[in-house]
């Protein structure tokens, strides 16, 4: 995607030191565009756990380069296992992290040590290029859904939750890819952007992305979505996901389940956009088998933003002695999902449809 006319991916190898990684620090958006360099395994691990980079596919791609950076420092078996273990521990919910690390380990574990670094960088680059192509395909399949609702030039109003845009992936995004393509095709599309407390990925990231691309949008508080659906203001919902089970249960940012319930109650289609790397073929029941990340209470009790004097400030919004809980994801049962927008097409959220669309992945036993 472009930022003020310049083409960007969410991560890239440093222009001078080709072994280190450059990222967009998403904790600084939309106030500042900072692109720090990650040169060590620990710097990559911190960038993922502290959400400088976030979004399931981007977490996986960044971790893949984390393995490559580790291999350049030390290509030993011990260093490879340490890198895999360190990166796997950064965030528990997005399956793309495990998928990418298993892929890197599979390529490297029996590979000659002197060639491990070069091979690791090549595999990480392949993961990134595949992600861009996959998301472009998701966009095209999702575009058809939006087109079907743009009858007679009618504006299509779409609600999305959190950020599943190009900065949650290597490029294009998942839930936002169809929206970008609809906008570029001249369809009158408007997006209601859930702010997405407590990290405000919608207010800070989705709004920033859509604004940079010229897509009409309105930021709303998380609790307004149901009200807008009841009053006919929403034509469809498209969200991203961090993990889908082999039976179609969807794990996504906290609050997604409530939007799915409101959509079902109002007869509004609820779509989930995802690459097949986000499907966990080893589990069926999302409620019992997907680990839900519990993040720091301070993400709930404080807020960070730009003060009116232009400075970046963090303020407390909860009494000092009040405890806070911060589950970062929830699970939407497959029965509430209208369809899964994948790189191979629209798939019903059920085991048979997923197995038919991805026959090579047959349901697997948990590792
Ligand atoms: C394209 S995956 C986007 C997915 O990841 C986000 O989680 P986080 O911001 O915590 O990494 C959110 O659940 C999005 O839907």
């Amino acid at each position: 995607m472009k930022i003020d006319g310049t083409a960007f991916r969410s991560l890239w190898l440093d222009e001078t030191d080709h072994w280190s990684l450059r990222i967009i620090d998403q904790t600084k958006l939309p106030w500042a565009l900072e692109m720090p360099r990650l040169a060590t395994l620990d710097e990559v691990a911190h960038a993922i756990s502290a959400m400088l980079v976030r979004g399931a596919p981007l977490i996986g791609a960044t971790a893949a380069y984390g393995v490559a950076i580790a291999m350049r420092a030390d290509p030993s078996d011990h260093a490879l296992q340490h890198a895999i273990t360190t990166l796997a521990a950064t965030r528990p919910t997005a399956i793309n992290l495990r998928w990418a690390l298993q892929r890197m380990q599979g390529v490297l574990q029996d590979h000659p040590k002197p060639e491990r670094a070069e091979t690791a960088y090549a595999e990480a680059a392949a993961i990134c290029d595949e992600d861009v192509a996959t998301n472009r395909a998701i966009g095209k399949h999702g575009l058809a859904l939006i087109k079907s609702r743009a009858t007679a030039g009618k504006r299509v109003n779409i609600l999305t939750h959190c950020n599943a845009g190009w900065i949650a992936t290597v490029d294009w995004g998942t839930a936002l890819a169809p929206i970008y393509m609809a906008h570029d095709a001249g369809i009158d599309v408007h997006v209601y952007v859930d702010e997405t407390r407590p990290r405000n990925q919608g207010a800070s990231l989705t709004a920033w992305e859509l604004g940079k691309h010229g897509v009409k949008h309105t930021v709303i508080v998380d609790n307004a979505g149901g009200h807008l659906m009841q009053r006919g203001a929403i034509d469809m919902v498209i969200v991203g996901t961090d993990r889908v089970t082999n039976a179609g249960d969807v794990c996504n940012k906290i609050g997604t389940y409530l939007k799915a319930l409101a959509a079902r109650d109002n007869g509004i289609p609820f779509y989930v956009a995802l690459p097949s790397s986000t499907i966990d073929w080893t589990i069926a029941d999302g409620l019992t088998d997907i680990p839900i990340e519990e993040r720091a209470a301070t993400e709930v009790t404080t807020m960070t933003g730009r003060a009116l004097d232009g400075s970046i400030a963090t303020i407390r919004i909860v009494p000092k002695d009040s405890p806070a809980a911060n589950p970062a994801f929830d699970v939407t049962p497959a029965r509430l999902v209208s369809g899964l927008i994948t790189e191979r097409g629209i798939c019903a959220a059920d085991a048979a449809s997923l197995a038919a669309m991805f026959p090579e992945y047959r349901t697997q036993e948990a590792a």
Side-chain angles (χ1 to χ4, degrees):
M1 279 299 164
K2 290 189 175 180
I3 303 173
D4 300 332
T6 303
F8 273 89
R9 280 185 171 185
S10 300
L11 76 177
W12 62 97
L13 291 178
D14 186 78
E15 297 79 359
T16 49
D17 167 13
H18 301 302
W19 304 105
S20 59
L21 192 62
R22 296 289 294 278
I23 60 165
I24 294 173
D25 181 349
Q26 298 188 34
T27 66
K28 298 294 192 308
L29 291 175
W31 320 117
L33 180 60
E34 295 185 6
M35 297 169 271
R37 192 168 70 92
L38 309 178
T40 68
L41 170 65
D42 288 344
E43 288 174 348
V44 173
H46 173 262
I48 296 170
S49 56
M51 296 176 69
L52 278 66
V53 293
R54 35 117 340 253
L58 182 60
I59 290 170
T62 305
Y65 271 115
V67 174
I69 289 170
M71 289 299 94
R72 185 163 181 266
D74 175 356
S76 68
D77 290 345
H78 173 73
L80 175 58
Q81 189 51 55
H82 174 66
I84 299 290
T85 304
T86 300
L87 292 162
T90 53
R91 297 191 71 192
T93 303
I95 190 65
N96 306 62
L97 177 58
R98 187 175 83 192
W99 169 84
L101 292 174
Q102 285 178 344
R103 175 164 163 176
M104 294 300 287
Q105 188 160 32
V107 166
L108 297 173
Q109 60 192 6
D110 298 327
H111 203 72
K113 294 178 182 55
E115 299 163 21
R116 272 182 173 172
E118 185 179 349
T119 301
Y121 277 93
E123 194 67 20
I127 286 173
C128 290
D129 291 344
E130 289 166 22
D131 186 62
V132 175
T134 294
N135 299 336
R136 189 182 291 116
I138 290 169
K140 287 176 183 166
H141 293 303
L143 171 60
L145 287 173
I146 297 173
K147 267 184 181 170
S148 68
R149 281 164 182 76
T151 50
K154 175 184 176 302
R155 169 174 292 186
V156 182
N157 291 292
I158 301 170
L159 181 141
T160 195
H161 190 71
C162 198
N163 172 260
W166 70 267
I167 51 171
T169 68
V170 178
D171 202 349
W172 278 109
T174 55
L176 295 192
I179 292 169
Y180 287 130
M181 290 193 181
H183 171 83
D184 294 348
I187 294 173
D188 184 5
V189 61
H190 169 266
V191 184
Y192 282 104
V193 177
D194 277 355
E195 62 176 346
T196 316
R197 285 275 297 147
R199 296 279 311 209
N200 297 323
Q201 290 95 324
S204 300
L205 303 176
T206 298
W208 174 80
E209 275 199 39
L210 295 175
K212 288 294 182 187
H213 202 77
V215 179
K216 290 193 281 291
H217 61 284
T218 304
V219 179
I220 57 175
V221 296
D222 291 323
N223 297 324
H227 164 78
L228 291 168
M229 292 182 200
Q230 284 176 325
R231 283 154 176 74
I234 310 289
D235 298 304
M236 61 194 298
V237 178
I238 308 180
V239 299
T241 177
D242 297 80
R243 191 181 306 209
V244 173
T245 73
N246 63 38
D249 286 353
V250 169
C251 183
N252 196 46
K253 185 53 52 189
I254 193 77
T256 302
Y257 171 50
L258 294 177
K259 293 299 163 354
L261 285 171
R264 176 54 53 88
D265 191 52
N266 291 280
I268 293 166
F270 182 89
Y271 288 103
V272 179
L274 69 144
S276 53
S277 54
T278 303
I279 301 170
D280 184 346
W281 297 100
T282 69
I283 60 171
D285 187 336
L287 280 177
T288 58
D289 295 337
I290 297 179
I292 300 297
E293 181 181 17
E294 183 76 29
R295 293 188 64 87
T298 48
E299 293 183 354
V300 176
T301 60
T302 65
M303 280 188 86
T304 298
R306 183 182 290 281
L308 298 181
D309 67 5
S311 63
I312 302 294
T314 297
I315 60 173
R316 174 183 298 284
I317 58 171
V318 169
K320 191 170 181 309
D321 298 331
S322 294
N326 186 14
F329 299 95
D330 60 24
V331 175
T332 298
R335 61 181 165 78
L336 296 176
V337 178
S338 305
L340 302 171
I341 307 171
T342 77
E343 66 270 30
R344 293 187 186 173
I346 313 297
C347 182
D350 61 64
S353 301
L354 281 165
M357 183 160 278
F358 299 99
E360 70 272 36
Y361 290 114
R362 288 181 306 283
T363 301
Q364 301 155 6
E365 292 306 315

